Amino acid sequence: MRQEEIWDVEAATTYDTPGTGMFAPEVLEPTVNRLAELAGTGQALEFAIGTGRVAIPLSERGVAVTGVELSTPMIDELRTKADADSIPVVVGDMTAARAPGEFTLVYLVYNTISNLLTQSEQVACFRNAARHLTPGGRFVIELWVPELRKLPPGQHATVWQSEPGYIGLDTYDLRQQRVVSHHFRFGEGKEARLFRSPHRYIWPTELDLMAQLAGFELETRHADWAGAEFTAESRSHVSVYRLASESPQSS
């Protein structure tokens, strides 16, 4: 399925979970604090802005935020909370869409770069970020670490979260470096609701090479937005890339 088919009206209207999950204050506050610090006095651009989970509180912190988003239903949901004057959004693909203005920060949160299903598209995303940044600007990516160590021989799925009313599991295609995330939500009855999304997983070192191709260098990598040390056991990372003063994209 194409990304615009996945992120349809149903997905957009059920995406927000105010106060819980990825919308919980303990998740959002460190994210917004770090992004505001990195943006400084400049403008920020969010690739795949979605319903504004991060952009709205970041804007409320005084950072001018612009978005790029492929899904019009997600933009429609954002517009119920913030108008186009406060958070302008360009409709388009984050590999190529251009937003007006210059930015000190481009950011891509919650594993979204993996929604791009080929290596070439992921490299194009880095290059598009570079096009938008002023010299020395930063591109920030939040991404999970592939959990292939959990796969015994012959098994192609891992359960990464299980709690009352929810099970999350990933099925892997190791040859294609692909994974499909399956989100099952259920109540007391017999029926469950399933949401699936395809991804191309990326190792941190591969991500660093993509960055180099676009004129970036790795500045910092932590296990979370609060700055915890990134180790071999970390399940995700927040990587900050800095654009060189003379970027290959400037020509």
Side-chain angles (χ1 to χ4, degrees), residues 149-164:
R149 289 189 301 171
K150 291 185 176 181
L151 288 175
Q155 183 172 314
H156 301 285
T158 63
V159 175
W160 51 270
Q161 188 170 341
S162 178
E163 59 187 38

Side-chain angles (χ1 to χ4, degrees), residues 149-184:
R149 289 189 301 171
K150 291 185 176 181
L151 288 175
Q155 183 172 314
H156 301 285
T158 63
V159 175
W160 51 270
Q161 188 170 341
S162 178
E163 59 187 38
Y166 176 80
I167 293 176
L169 64 89
D170 289 335
T171 54
Y172 285 85
D173 180 342
L174 302 183
R175 184 176 64 88
Q176 295 289 337
Q177 203 165 311
R178 298 278 183 88
V179 59
V180 177
S181 293
H182 307 256
H183 305 266
F184 296 91

Side-chain angles (χ1 to χ4, degrees), residues 131-143:
R131 293 186 192 103
H132 287 90
L133 286 167
T134 56
R138 294 177 173 93
F139 185 29
V140 182
I141 293 179
E142 178 186 20
L143 186 61

